[in-house]
Amino acid sequence: MSDDIESQGWTRAPAGPTAGTGARREPHHFRRLFAMWFVVSLAGDLVWWFVVGPHVPPGTMTTQARGAQFDFNVLFLASWVVVSGVCIYLGYAFYQWRASRGGPDPVGGPAASSNVRVQTIWITTTTLIVIAAFIFGTVQLILPQGAGGGEGPDPIWKPTSDKVLPIQVIAQQWKFTYRYPTFGGMETSTLVIPADTWIAFHVTSIDVIHDFWAYQLGVKADANPDVDDVAYVHTSGQLGSFTVRCDELCGIWHGAMFDYGKVVTKTQFMAWGSRTERANADNTKYLPPFAWTYVPTANTTTGVTADTSGQAPYSRIEKYGATPAKKTVTSPKTTSSTFTTT
Amino acid sequence: MTVDVAEPEAAHAGAVPPPGRAATGRPAWLGQHLGTAVLAGVGGYAFGHYLGNLIASGYVRVVTAAWNDVAIVLGLLFGILGWLAGIGAFNYALAKLAGREPVHADDPPNWTKYFRYSVEHKTVGMQYLIMVLIFFFTAGLLAMGIRTELLSPTTHIYGPGTYIEIVGEHGTMMMMMASSLVVGPLGNWLVPIMIGSRRMAFPRVEASSFWCFSAGYIVILSALALGGFPTGWTGYAPLQNQGSAGMDSYLLGFGIVGAGMILAGFNIFATIVAYRAPGLTWGRLPVFVWGMVTTSFLLTLATPTLVVAIYFGILDRTAFTELYVNAHGGSSYLWENLFWFFGHPEVYIMALPGFGIVAEIIPVFTGKPLFAYRIAAAGMVGVGLLSFFVWQHHLFMSGINPDMRPLFMLTTELISIPTGFVYLVGLGTLYKAKIRFEPPMLFCLAMYFNFLIGGITGVFQSDVPVDVTVHGSFFVLAHFHYTILGGLVFAFFGGVYYWTPKLTGRTLNRKLSIWHFWTMFIFFNLTFFPMFLIGLFDQPRRVFEYASDLTTLNDFASVSAFCLGASFIIFIVNFVWSIWIDPKRAPANPWGSKGLEWQTPTPVPPYNFERIPVVYADPYHYGEADAPPVADLEPANLAFASAASNGHRAAPVVADAD
Ligand SMILES: [Cu+2]
């Protein structure tokens, strides 16, 4: 009787089979549990993967969004296996071993107090799952160049493409402004980006901490004053609008700090860019020169803006700010003017 | 009521205070009590405010501000000092300083002891119990306010300023409450009894921890009168520097509660290390005490970081040090790092006590020994240690050094291994058990379900690509409500139902207890599960307005939240009815527990034990016909006691069968 536990075998998800031979007159708990768990976890995973998974946020508007969706779905599959295992075990235990059922009194002693095999399997399995989750997460972080998260002023995962469109996101209480250094340093209140393009969002703030969350793009980067927080995305061919929200509490109108952006074709984007640059030129000249962080007081009455006439709209070499401006602006980033090729 | 007891010579060095002499023959309302504390607190505030205006008038941070932060900060500071002085927290130290012998008074034998500076751990435990419930229900009402506002995306009940005040108050009060929820009431009340000690290591430290904690309640509520604070419970700077006078209440309130947390943790840690009865080896320690010792470790070592962060915040707001302002040599990341360096151990300060409670209670209602005792202890120690190495996972999107991201992803996921131990222990104990679904057991089993959801969604957030979507959204909000409310608070109520017969000698109504359980469990899940979806559908936390297509989900969560709130009315009615209005005497050991605390008489006399008991075994030898007694409460002589503690008597310790 004392070796009952071992001979019965044990299970909880996600441990593998540990069945022994059944004892007399006792139902074979392990086989029952395993069967239920196998069916429920497999059915749930299949439904999730094929029915729900493709619709999981943030969708597939960028490579990074697609990666986040993939990660979510993979984690869901694994989690469902664990959750269904634990819940099935709990439900089974409540039914099978409830006192009101009048079963035999439990047997204590060393055999009921520990079981080296079960403990070893449990610890090994959870450790393997954790290591797998870590490797998976790291690969999924590095492969899509930082997975759309803000990498700070010195990004380590960068696109290798030669055509990166830089856009500065300036957060303030309680709105976002977007600045396009390669279009004369113009500022707009709508974010328009081209499809099929690497985009570098340079997120900064002029007051408190905000967070630039382009939901469908799978981008999230905190906006700290005097900090250039860079996040990269690669837009897919998918066109349409996306939501931008502030995702860090920034005061009373935090919830109202949102707007909508648009992904358009490259041709449409170039047309929109040069049109807006021309239309805004009168205002742009009163803006402070482009710099990696944005300090409103750097504005001058004369107005000097970056001369980007010779500048390609897409470039790996991010060199837009007028040189004097960089000196007037405090930036924690000293090596930001050039990205070295890897 | 005092009991004249013989002190065993060698068991504990360090004298128990001499059996009390009633302070004097004065009437109770003279002396020092809650009333004098309030008076001195108000006086202290007035004095500090006056002083602040005197030394810093015209020296205001915001030129147009109608208040002077120096005056507010000094007012609150002197208010807190006045409160502590008024209750008598400094009497002992001041008497020693003056070279006089301090007067020690035992608790008066009536209810007035609960309104005094008591150094009796059971009195402090009860004071804490009432105070955490006051915290919990106040902050719970504020949560009802939040859910009411979120019934509609654009129609408003209050202005955005009031809303953010309510959100901040709710979060901060709940965090203050949750960090002391179990350690305060159950830890202080039970730990000395469970370890066979007649006292706490530092009774005055313990008492002062409570009076700091209760001062925090008043100070954090004062924010409402001072315009609130706009930052939520996380207090991020530089928004913090922008906040109006209510921000000072946040800083001082959290600071004084933090001081109380350090003191409480320090005392309990030292007590468990130094005051265990003979024979109570680490391998026989009740798992609840393992939960307390690990929690105290975190309280003592993590909270100082919070206090430092708060100190910097106060300096920024009063002396213009600009420690959190990037442009002037400070850093907005400094608060984030300091806060979360405290904040993540804090998360486990709010989980470990729950683990301890469920592991303590489940064996009693299964009639089986605790499965894998060593794994349970190792799990709690592992969680406690790892919790210091995960804080940057709150900052994955913040722009701090991205090199750190994989490391913090790893440490965060690693912590699910020791957390999983708690599941192994629980599920293993249920195997072939005889489960009695009594109210305490129901809450503990529900904790296993809720914390499973809460823990697994935590793994999602540790994965950086997924965190890009869920960070800062309602998904995170749902996650931590599942771990704190679903985990800790469920376990706490399990503990309350389990130990109330011991604490009060009264029986709670079983039917009402079960009603409380089912309403709380169902509406908790109906409230917070939809919030995972709300978050995935891009609703950020702490918003005043939200997308109209999320109205249905938000309304569903709100209505469920109101029902969840109502479920606590059942608890209050049950508690008040069963303890004060129609008290029914509880049996000495209603659940058939083997725990040492149930072997003592009810009510437990002052100084708990006539003689220091000698412990023979862990209290989980259920289902054994010839189980050894857990302890000898009347050890015949000390030679025998020391023999037992050296293991000369058969005293099975839980060992891995191999
Ligand atoms: Cu914002």
Side-chain angles (χ1 to χ4, degrees):
Chain A
M1 214 35 192
S2 62
D3 59 346
D4 218 30
I5 289 204
E6 288 211 297
S7 67
Q8 279 301 312
W10 268 72
T11 187
R12 328 84 12 236
T18 58
T21 51
R24 288 148 296 162
R25 280 184 292 143
E26 271 279 326
H28 204 299
H29 302 303
F30 170 71
R31 275 188 210 153
R32 289 179 175 185
L33 283 164
F34 184 83
M36 285 188 275
W37 168 69
F38 187 79
V39 172
V40 172
S41 54
L42 185 70
D45 275 1
L46 287 173
V47 169
W48 186 273
W49 187 256
F50 291 105
V51 182
V52 186
H55 307 289
V56 162
T60 55
M61 207 168 223
T62 62
T63 315
Q64 285 66 24
R66 189 188 293 275
Q69 185 191 63
F70 178 69
D71 269 40
F72 191 97
N73 287 334
V74 168
L75 289 178
F76 188 91
L77 298 194
S79 302
W80 178 250
V81 171
V82 175
V83 170
S84 64
V86 172
C87 291
I88 286 170
Y89 179 87
L90 285 176
Y92 187 83
F94 297 165
Y95 176 78
Q96 191 75 25
W97 298 311
R98 65 190 194 275
S100 58
R101 207 158 177 248
D105 277 339
V107 182
S113 305
S114 71
N115 181 315
V116 172
R117 191 163 58 137
V118 170
Q119 289 160 219
T120 312
I121 292 171
W122 179 281
I123 295 172
T124 315
T125 315
T126 50
T127 307
L128 289 176
I129 293 176
V130 162
I131 303 287
F134 163 65
I135 295 173
F136 174 69
T138 306
V139 169
Q140 286 290 96
L141 166 68
I142 294 172
L143 280 189
Q145 275 78 19
E151 291 188 58
D154 295 303
I156 54 174
W157 305 298
K158 294 175 288 205
T160 46
S161 160
D162 279 335
K163 293 181 174 244
V164 180
L165 175 72
I167 299 174
Q168 186 171 51
V169 178
I170 304 151
Q172 73 189 89
Q173 288 168 323
W174 288 275
K175 70 188 288 264
F176 290 106
T177 307
Y178 308 97
R179 192 163 198 198
Y180 291 77
T182 50
F183 289 86
M186 69 174 182
E187 286 188 359
T188 70
S189 51
T190 354
L191 179 56
V192 178
I193 57 174
D196 269 321
T197 307
W198 273 105
I199 294 159
F201 289 111
H202 293 260
V203 183
T204 189
S205 163
I206 62 174
D207 39 46
V208 300
I209 302 178
H210 303 263
D211 181 279
F212 171 67
W213 181 16
Y215 175 57
Q216 287 89 342
L217 301 187
V219 177
K220 191 170 280 169
D222 273 10
N224 277 259
D226 287 282
V227 175
D228 172 31
D229 188 10
V230 186
Y232 297 104
V233 275
H234 184 257
T235 47
S236 66
Q238 201 176 317
L239 307 180
S241 71
F242 56 88
T243 318
V244 175
R245 288 189 174 283
C246 177
D247 198 39
E248 193 60 71
L249 178 58
C250 56
I252 54 174
W253 288 112
H254 163 58
M257 189 166 162
F258 67 93
D259 56 47
Y260 299 98
K262 253 191 301 190
V263 183
V264 297
T265 65
K266 278 185 184 174
T267 334
Q268 286 168 333
F269 175 75
M270 287 308 294
W272 171 85
S274 16
R275 193 171 65 236
T276 316
E277 184 180 348
R278 256 181 282 116
N280 286 7
D282 279 350
N283 293 332
T284 308
K285 72 177 183 217
Y286 291 111
L287 293 175
F290 181 84
W292 297 103
T293 57
Y294 199 98
V295 179
T297 47
N299 203 346
T300 60
T301 41
T302 49
V304 182
T305 191
D307 176 15
T308 53
S309 45
Q311 181 76 54
Y314 307 100
S315 169
R316 265 187 103 182
I317 311 298
E318 301 191 347
K319 217 178 196 165
Y320 318 107
T323 329
K326 299 207 72 175
K327 285 183 184 153
T328 63
V329 171
T330 323
S331 166
K333 176 174 163 186
T334 49
T335 56
S336 63
S337 55
T338 48
F339 285 175
T340 46
T341 341
T342 43
Chain B
M1 182 184 73
T2 57
V3 178
D4 216 8
V5 288
E7 175 75 3
E9 295 91 353
H12 288 321
V16 169
R21 54 191 176 87
T24 46
R26 290 182 304 191
W29 57 268
L30 278 171
Q32 285 177 299
H33 47 66
L34 187 65
T36 51
V38 170
L39 280 178
V42 171
Y45 182 84
F47 170 73
H49 197 270
Y50 166 78
L51 190 69
N53 276 328
L54 197 69
I55 62 177
S57 64
Y59 179 68
V60 288
R61 193 166 41 84
V62 182
V63 183
T64 53
W67 73 93
N68 172 353
D69 281 300
V70 178
I72 304 283
V73 164
L74 286 182
L76 292 171
L77 188 63
F78 279 95
I80 293 166
L81 291 175
W83 167 268
L84 291 173
I87 197 69
F90 302 130
N91 292 1
Y92 183 88
L94 291 178
K96 282 284 187 191
L97 197 65
R100 282 185 283 110
E101 205 40 51
V103 178
H104 169 77
D106 265 354
D107 281 356
N110 53 37
W111 57 269
T112 58
K113 65 184 172 190
Y114 296 114
F115 297 92
R116 290 172 185 279
Y117 191 75
S118 169
V119 294
E120 160 67 45
H121 72 91
K122 295 186 288 294
T123 310
V124 178
M126 288 309 286
Q127 289 173 328
Y128 256 117
L129 180 64
I130 300 304
M131 200 66 219
V132 292
L133 289 174
I134 291 174
F135 256 99
F136 182 69
F137 293 128
T138 312
L141 283 175
L142 293 166
M144 300 297 108
I146 296 172
R147 288 317 314 178
T148 309
E149 169 60 41
L150 291 181
L151 278 169
S152 159
T154 45
T155 309
H156 299 307
I157 293 161
Y158 1 85
T162 312
Y163 176 74
I164 210 71
E165 271 180 47
I166 295 176
V167 169
E169 283 285 337
H170 163 76
T172 314
M173 291 187 90
M174 281 294 191
M175 288 298 164
M176 290 171 163
M177 175 282 296
S179 15
S180 298
L181 179 63
V182 175
V183 174
L186 299 176
N188 280 314
W189 209 98
L190 290 164
V191 161
I193 305 180
M194 288 174 106
I195 64 171
S197 169
R198 303 188 69 217
R199 52 170 289 187
M200 280 287 187
F202 305 111
R204 286 177 208 89
V205 170
E206 179 199 28
S208 58
S209 79
F210 170 74
W211 291 99
C212 288
F213 178 63
S214 51
Y217 178 79
I218 302 166
V219 176
I220 195 68
L221 269 190
S222 74
L224 290 178
L226 294 171
F229 51 96
T231 60
W233 86 279
T234 47
Y236 274 17
L239 183 60
Q240 182 190 96
N241 307 42
Q242 227 182 40
S244 69
M247 201 74 230
D248 298 324
S249 301
Y250 164 89
L251 292 168
L252 268 294
F254 222 158
I256 193 64
V257 166
M261 286 158 68
I262 298 170
L263 295 171
F266 185 73
N267 169 51
I268 290 185
F269 189 83
T271 304
I272 296 171
V273 169
Y275 280 75
R276 281 168 294 132
L280 185 55
T281 57
W282 290 106
R284 294 173 188 168
L285 202 64
V287 273
F288 174 73
V289 181
W290 271 110
M292 289 298 102
V293 74
T294 47
T295 307
S296 317
F297 181 77
L298 298 186
L299 281 170
T300 314
L301 289 183
T303 321
T305 321
L306 171 75
V307 177
V308 167
I310 281 173
Y311 183 55
F312 286 0
I314 291 173
L315 285 180
D316 263 17
R317 291 177 57 82
T318 53
F320 312 104
T321 46
E322 314 269 307
L323 291 162
Y324 296 134
V325 182
N326 291 325
H328 298 157
S331 170
S332 53
Y333 292 107
L334 180 60
W335 172 273
E336 291 184 322
N337 271 306
L338 288 175
F339 185 82
W340 287 116
F341 189 87
F342 148 78
H344 211 87
E346 161 80 355
V347 168
Y348 292 98
I349 288 168
M350 299 182 293
L352 288 167
F355 297 166
I357 289 178
V358 294
E360 186 70 33
I361 290 180
I362 283 185
V364 179
F365 295 95
T366 54
K368 279 190 67 198
L370 183 73
F371 182 73
Y373 171 93
R374 288 180 180 186
I375 298 277
M380 291 191 238
V381 172
V383 167
L385 292 178
L386 273 174
S387 71
F388 282 99
F389 301 94
V390 297
W391 81 94
Q392 282 202 355
H393 67 211
H394 294 270
L395 306 173
F396 278 154
M397 305 304 135
S398 71
I400 48 170
N401 186 2
D403 285 318
M404 290 288 106
R405 236 150 272 181
L407 175 68
F408 280 93
M409 189 170 0
L410 176 65
T411 52
T412 306
E413 285 165 357
L414 279 181
I415 215 166
S416 56
I417 299 175
T419 309
F421 289 4
V422 178
Y423 276 81
L424 172 66
V425 168
L427 303 190
T429 308
L430 292 177
Y431 185 74
K432 287 197 177 177
K434 209 168 182 181
I435 305 169
R436 292 183 287 149
F437 293 103
E438 295 296 330
M441 184 65 165
L442 291 173
F443 279 94
C444 291
L445 294 172
M447 181 274 186
Y448 270 94
F449 175 78
N450 298 337
F451 202 90
L452 181 67
I453 311 288
I456 286 258
T457 49
V459 176
F460 282 69
Q461 286 154 219
S462 75
D463 185 273
V464 178
V466 174
D467 196 47
V468 168
T469 295
V470 298
H471 169 90
S473 75
F474 261 61
F475 188 94
V476 174
L477 186 148
H479 154 75
F480 69 74
H481 280 84
Y482 259 89
T483 56
I484 301 172
L485 181 50
L488 180 75
V489 176
F490 268 80
F492 166 75
F493 277 109
V496 166
Y497 282 111
Y498 179 71
W499 278 299
T500 295
K502 187 76 222 169
L503 266 57
T504 64
R506 306 273 185 262
T507 305
L508 291 174
N509 183 301
R510 185 170 183 274
K511 206 166 245 171
L512 284 177
S513 309
I514 288 175
W515 269 97
H516 172 216
F517 168 74
W518 282 109
T519 47
M520 182 173 161
F521 178 68
I522 290 169
F523 291 114
F524 162 76
N525 277 286
L526 292 182
T527 304
F528 292 101
F529 199 82
M531 294 193 193
F532 285 118
L533 300 176
I534 294 174
L536 274 179
F537 296 148
D538 93 340
Q539 183 170 323
R541 289 167 62 185
R542 299 149 160 178
V543 293
F544 176 60
E545 296 186 324
Y546 58 89
S548 58
D549 53 358
L550 292 176
T551 312
T552 315
L553 276 173
N554 272 298
D555 285 357
F556 186 85
S558 286
V559 173
S560 305
F562 301 145
C563 297
L564 174 64
S567 78
F568 293 108
I569 297 173
I570 304 177
F571 168 77
I572 296 173
V573 168
N574 189 1
F575 201 77
V576 172
W577 188 267
S578 309
I579 288 176
W580 286 293
I581 298 177
D582 182 23
K584 295 219 167 48
R585 196 165 183 76
N589 189 352
W591 319 113
S593 166
K594 287 187 187 291
L596 181 55
E597 74 275 22
W598 296 100
Q599 323 296 321
T600 57
T602 305
V604 181
Y607 309 117
N608 308 336
F609 302 96
E610 284 199 27
R611 285 167 179 280
I612 299 297
V614 175
V615 177
Y616 297 134
D618 69 69
Y620 309 112
H621 286 269
Y622 296 99
E624 275 179 69
D626 53 350
V630 169
D632 185 350
L633 287 174
E634 288 174 359
N637 60 62
L638 289 165
F640 173 79
S642 68
S645 65
N646 291 334
H648 292 173
R649 182 178 155 153
V653 181
V654 168
D656 287 340
D658 43 19

